Amino acid sequence: MKPHRIRHQFLLEPALSEKLDNLSRDPSTTKSAIVAKAIEAFIERRGENELDRRYGVRLDRLSRDLAHVTRDAEMILESLALFIRFSITLHAHTPVPDRATQAIAQDRFDKFVEQVGRQIASGKRSIGKGKGVGGEG
């Protein structure tokens, strides 16, 4: 028994009718099947915006990439701000860099890296949003 189908009548422009004729020349398909698939496709994507369908995935990827670039730039800016702050406030002038001075410098650098990590992890920033150097308002 054939599935129940409802007959429809509609009019097509001559150019569109010719395209339909060309598509239905293949013995494995019919005009009814072509029209049914076209209507189904139209209804399924009707709720979608054409631009969203075409460019949505790309725009989402670009948004994620931009967020990563922004995060990286904030890390660099935060590192620079903290480096300047530590450099100004903790710089000890020594005329000759000996091993003791190098050890102090390495210790300060390690503390600097730890501080950058804490600042970024906590979400606090040394500059920006109306705050002065060192995060003081």
Side-chain angles (χ1 to χ4, degrees):
M1 177 180 223
K2 276 189 166 182
H4 180 65
R5 297 190 294 177
I6 300 172
R7 181 180 184 96
H8 293 275
Q9 290 182 328
F10 50 90
L11 301 173
L12 296 175
E13 297 291 327
L16 189 56
S17 180
E18 186 177 328
K19 289 179 183 179
L20 180 60
D21 286 339
N22 290 338
L23 286 173
S24 66
R25 285 195 180 131
D26 183 1
S28 65
T29 186
T30 64
K31 288 181 184 178
S32 293
I34 294 168
V35 171
K37 286 180 183 177
I39 291 171
E40 188 175 334
F42 176 79
I43 290 171
E44 284 180 3
R45 80 165 188 252
R46 188 172 170 193
E48 293 180 11
N49 181 342
E50 183 70 19
L51 291 175
D52 285 344
R53 191 172 57 80
R54 282 188 172 184
Y55 303 112
V57 174
R58 291 181 202 164
L59 290 173
D60 289 344
R61 188 181 69 236
L62 287 172
S63 293
R64 284 191 305 274
D65 291 348
L66 182 59
H68 290 140
V69 169
T70 301
R71 183 203 63 208
D72 292 348
E74 287 178 357
M75 286 180 172
I76 292 168
L77 185 60
E78 184 65 23
S79 298
L80 180 61
L82 284 172
F83 176 75
I84 292 169
R85 180 174 153 223
F86 279 119
S87 200
I88 291 171
T89 58
L90 300 176
H91 182 70
H93 176 69
T94 55
V96 178
D98 55 5
R99 287 186 190 259
T101 305
Q102 290 174 348
I104 291 171
Q106 183 63 46
D107 183 53
R108 288 181 180 171
F109 179 76
D110 292 342
K111 289 179 181 177
F112 162 73
V113 171
E114 289 173 15
Q115 180 66 23
V116 170
R118 281 194 302 273
Q119 291 285 109
I120 290 172
S122 70
K124 296 177 184 176
R125 299 293 182 252
S126 294
I127 62 172
K129 296 190 181 184
K131 294 182 179 180
V133 174
E136 289 94 34

